[in-house]
Amino acid sequence: MYLYHVLVNILNNIKSPEDLRTLPQENLPQLAQELREFIINIVATKEGHLGASLGVVELTIALHYVFNTPEDILVWDVGHQAYGHKILTGRKEIFHTNRQLNGISGFPKRDESEYDTFGVGHSSTAISAALGMAIASKLRGETNKQHIAVVGDASIASGMAFEALNHAGVTDTNLLVILNDNAIGIDPSVGALKEYFTKVKLNGAKEADNIFEALNFNYSGPVDGHNLDLVISELERLKNIPGPKLLHLITKKGKGLRQAEENQVVYHAPGKFDALTGDLAPRSNEVLPPKFQDVFGKTLVEIATTNNKIVGITPAMPTGSSLKFMMDAFPDRAFDVGIAEQHAVTFAAGLATQGFTVFCNIYSTFLQRAYDQVIHDVCLQKIPVIFCLDRAGIVGEDGATHHGIFDLAYLNCIPNLIIFAPRDEVELRNIMFTAQQGLPLPIFIRYPRGRGKIIDWKQPFKAIEIGKANVLKEGLDIAVITIGTIVNEALQAIEMLNPSDKEKISVVDIRFLKPLDEELLHNILQNHHTIITIEDGTTTGGLGSTIATFAASMGYSNKIEISGIQDTFLEHGTTSELRDIAGISPEKIKLTLQQYV
């Protein structure tokens, strides 16, 4: 009984990897069980990424057990699998603050811990970063220092990962790439490389056919990633082999929780669930407005039914973007291209040159990864791809790596495009209908994460006039100009004012950042002494900057107050908390308005 009591409390005594390395190896499976239970219990109530961290528990323990971290450098790709890593590296007692305002980040972050050697959140960066660190060690003469990059089978298929592998293969650095092969990223992995991994797992691969051996990597595997003794043995062996190495591990995402193993897509980030049973929290019977992603997905199917030229594309996010509806209804006209945003954009452009109407759905934060393709392959050639940018604006607990706060600014400076932000679900539906009728330029439609406001959203289509703003409320002195769904916060703020102050305020939904409704702007600037712009994006180069530039160029001298996200990276927290910090919550907008009414 006493021995059992000691074993079940192993995790309580682990304050750092140094403590871990004092344990007898036979105690490590018990530690793995405790670590899984700890992650499950916290995520069940606090929410976060679950399946990925459960799948690498044994690997996480083995890495810190075999290598002298943080002297030996460990880089996690993406980082949503690094919960166990955080718990073992001194953050167990504060892990309950994960993804909360002022708590620890949901991803590895350099200023959070010396064990977080590289900040991550987007995929496919780990090999490049670890190779850079390995070259640095070589230049300093640190020949025994180890550099480990942990990358998934979905992430390693990305172009950037291949660029790094190609470079690493001609170096003699102490670089170990661990391929965590579980056949799924957020959705199931796709592509020829995934099929190759499947063949390796089922049949074994001949050395001559091994893609990694061809890139000059010393290949090892495939190895059962849940067999701790075997993983430790392989890591110990590889530690003494010079040059670039790759260890191919087979793991199961969600390992240790039946529902997470069986439903890996849902349990990637399941929300609240019962830690004992694994069952998801029961859904409310309340009829709620739809998520914007579902409005996109269902509307796309609806218009694709009558327009056989419509094609849908997503880089590895069919569920998150709801392109899955299109993939189910028209499998030959919907493409998941894997974690390959650059390819997705240029692939879309190629399709569009041949007369197809292409809807390319990419999260706002991930379109940053394909900026040159947007400029060079789409806008420069005026190819009318329809880009739907999901998760625009503040996204909440995923934090700085995932906020879609730069899209308005980074698109605004590019010629030959249209930028539109719907204020509600009906507007999203109508702009999609309008765009598929044919436009002379590419259009970028940005909309937020989460639900809208309208229950009865599936209304008859109405075409939207390109470049036309809407006046939602007329006032006498002050004009509030907004773009997208942030108008809801502005309207709530106005409702908090006394009746006489409300009368002084006009509200304009600009809708199009490009092209601007210049006729309406002239009218607004001529009839209101103060202009307040509100946007859920960076104020540098966004809506406010554009209105101020227009006013100055036309000789207007109105007072212009620009509200939005200042020149900073917003951290993690709830969307409402972060809007308040940025000064664009209803309460903060009210305070801004009160300065001028």
Side-chain angles (χ1 to χ4, degrees):
M1 179 64 71
Y2 177 75
L3 178 62
Y4 177 78
H5 179 73
V6 172
L7 288 178
V8 296
N9 284 282
I10 290 176
L11 183 59
N12 289 341
N13 296 316
I14 304 296
K15 308 302 181 187
S16 73
E18 287 186 354
D19 297 330
L20 169 64
R21 291 191 280 269
T22 65
L23 293 175
Q25 188 169 325
E26 59 265 26
N27 285 6
L28 297 185
Q30 179 67 26
L31 175 62
Q33 179 181 337
E34 292 178 28
L35 187 55
R36 276 200 173 87
E37 290 174 356
F38 186 85
I39 293 170
I40 290 168
N41 286 327
I42 295 289
V43 177
T45 57
K46 300 295 183 180
E47 303 188 23
H49 296 105
L50 179 67
S53 286
L54 294 183
V56 295
V57 163
E58 287 84 5
L59 173 61
T60 304
I61 292 170
L63 286 168
H64 285 294
Y65 193 72
V66 171
F67 294 100
N68 185 33
T69 55
E71 293 303 313
D72 289 333
I73 291 176
L74 172 60
V75 183
W76 297 92
D77 201 85
V78 184
H80 56 221
Q81 77 278 52
Y83 287 5
H85 160 80
K86 292 200 171 202
I87 293 163
L88 294 176
T89 55
R91 286 164 279 184
K92 175 176 175 287
E93 301 306 321
I94 58 172
F95 188 71
H96 65 279
T97 70
N98 185 45
R99 292 162 46 92
Q100 297 177 24
L101 186 67
N102 300 322
I104 63 172
S105 170
F107 301 94
K109 192 176 180 184
R110 290 182 68 215
D111 61 7
E112 189 177 292
S113 170
E114 64 180 336
Y115 292 93
D116 292 0
T117 59
F118 200 74
V120 292
H122 293 185
S123 84
S124 314
T125 62
I127 304 174
S128 295
L131 178 61
M133 295 167 179
I135 294 290
S137 294
K138 182 181 176 185
L139 292 173
R140 287 196 296 257
E142 298 170 343
T143 56
N144 294 323
K145 192 166 188 173
Q146 304 293 320
H147 311 83
I148 308 100
V150 182
V151 58
D153 58 289
S155 293
I156 205 169
S158 175
M160 183 176 178
F162 263 89
E163 292 167 18
L165 289 169
N166 185 53
H167 181 191
V170 294
T171 71
D172 58 355
T173 54
N174 282 338
L175 175 68
L176 170 60
V177 175
I178 296 180
L179 172 58
N180 176 37
D181 182 1
N182 58 19
I184 189 167
I186 295 175
D187 285 277
S189 302
V190 297
L193 195 60
K194 179 253 186 180
E195 294 183 2
Y196 167 76
F197 291 151
T198 301
K199 291 177 183 176
V200 170
K201 283 183 279 191
L202 294 177
N203 307 316
K206 296 178 182 177
E207 185 172 312
D209 296 329
N210 190 295
I211 188 171
F212 300 111
E213 293 281 1
L215 289 168
N216 295 329
F217 273 73
N218 186 314
Y219 174 86
S220 176
V223 169
D224 179 359
H226 300 301
N227 185 329
L228 254 169
D229 289 339
L230 187 56
V231 173
I232 289 172
S233 173
E234 274 301 291
L235 292 178
E236 291 283 7
R237 184 181 70 82
L238 290 168
K239 190 164 65 169
N240 298 308
I241 294 177
K245 296 135 324 214
L246 187 138
L247 173 59
H248 185 174
L249 292 184
I250 308 302
T251 63
K252 193 172 191 66
K253 189 171 181 177
K255 176 73 172 178
L257 185 66
R258 178 181 57 79
Q259 292 90 333
E261 293 183 21
E262 294 174 354
N263 198 342
Q264 296 174 334
V265 173
V266 170
Y267 280 80
H268 171 75
K272 288 184 171 62
F273 63 95
D274 188 310
L276 293 176
T277 67
D279 294 335
L280 297 177
R283 290 187 176 183
S284 169
N285 292 325
E286 180 185 359
V287 178
L288 298 172
K291 294 179 179 179
F292 277 92
Q293 68 187 57
D294 290 341
V295 174
F296 160 78
K298 293 176 180 179
T299 299
L300 186 62
V301 171
E302 189 174 349
I303 57 178
T305 301
T306 57
N307 182 346
N308 61 14
K309 291 292 186 180
I310 287 178
V311 172
I313 297 171
T314 181
M317 299 303 294
T319 301
S321 70
S322 291
L323 190 72
K324 189 71 165 59
F325 294 124
M326 179 78 172
M327 296 174 76
D328 290 341
F330 301 103
D332 294 336
R333 292 159 55 192
F335 301 91
D336 175 2
V337 300
I339 302 177
E341 292 86 2
Q342 296 178 3
H343 166 60
V345 170
T346 306
F347 173 52
L351 270 165
T353 65
Q354 301 304 302
F356 283 89
T357 302
V358 184
F359 284 80
C360 185
N361 188 300
I362 301 180
Y363 286 12
S364 170
T365 185
F366 296 148
L367 187 65
Q368 296 163 188
R369 296 161 69 89
Y371 194 58
D372 181 61
Q373 286 69 27
V374 168
I375 295 173
H376 182 271
D377 299 339
V378 177
C379 296
L380 183 63
Q381 304 181 73
K382 300 182 180 179
I383 298 175
V385 177
I386 302 162
F387 290 95
C388 294
L389 307 189
D390 198 342
R391 271 64 165 179
I394 297 170
V395 300
E397 291 85 353
D398 279 346
T401 56
H402 282 62
H403 294 311
I405 61 177
F406 302 109
D407 52 6
L408 292 175
Y410 71 64
L411 293 170
N412 197 18
C413 61
I414 305 174
N416 300 343
L417 57 75
I418 300 165
I419 304 172
F420 179 88
R423 68 177 178 271
D424 58 36
E425 306 93 305
V426 174
E427 288 241 305
L428 171 56
R429 179 175 166 78
N430 285 338
I431 196 64
M432 292 176 65
F433 170 75
T434 302
Q436 59 94 33
Q437 291 181 318
L439 294 172
L441 297 172
I443 184 170
F444 293 78
I445 306 166
R446 71 177 312 255
Y447 50 90
R449 180 185 185 187
R451 296 187 183 277
K453 303 285 186 183
I454 301 172
I455 300 289
D456 183 25
W457 61 274
K458 201 170 184 181
Q459 299 176 15
F461 290 118
K462 292 181 181 177
I464 290 177
E465 183 179 348
I466 302 299
K468 187 68 174 176
N470 277 341
V471 177
L472 303 182
K473 179 183 179 302
E474 294 189 352
L476 305 173
D477 302 320
I478 300 166
V480 173
I481 301 178
T482 69
I483 187 164
T485 59
I486 199 68
V487 70
N488 294 309
E489 277 64 33
L491 293 172
Q492 288 177 47
I494 292 169
E495 283 302 308
M496 297 177 188
L497 300 174
N498 64 57
S500 61
D501 288 340
K502 291 180 189 179
E503 294 177 1
K504 300 177 182 178
I505 303 171
S506 293
V507 178
V508 177
D509 172 19
I510 200 73
R511 301 206 293 177
F512 292 90
L513 188 60
K514 293 184 79 167
L516 283 172
D517 189 338
E518 295 188 0
E519 180 181 352
L520 178 62
L521 284 178
H522 278 296
N523 182 276
I524 292 295
L525 289 161
Q526 290 165 7
N527 292 289
H528 300 79
H529 59 71
T530 300
I531 310 297
I532 300 172
T533 67
I534 305 173
E535 57 198 300
D536 61 345
T538 177
T539 56
T540 305
L543 171 65
S545 296
T546 300
I547 299 301
T549 299
F550 176 82
S553 68
M554 296 297 172
Y556 292 106
S557 57
N558 307 63
K559 168 65 180 175
I560 299 178
E561 177 81 22
I562 299 173
S563 295
I565 296 147
Q566 302 303 312
D567 191 20
T568 187
F569 287 104
L570 276 182
E571 295 297 342
H572 49 277
T574 66
T575 300
S576 59
E577 288 170 337
L578 297 177
R579 282 181 181 155
D580 197 65
I581 290 170
I584 54 174
S585 65
E587 293 77 14
K588 291 295 177 63
I589 295 171
K590 174 193 171 187
L591 294 177
T592 301
L593 292 172
Q594 286 176 329
Q595 298 177 42
Y596 300 103
V597 292

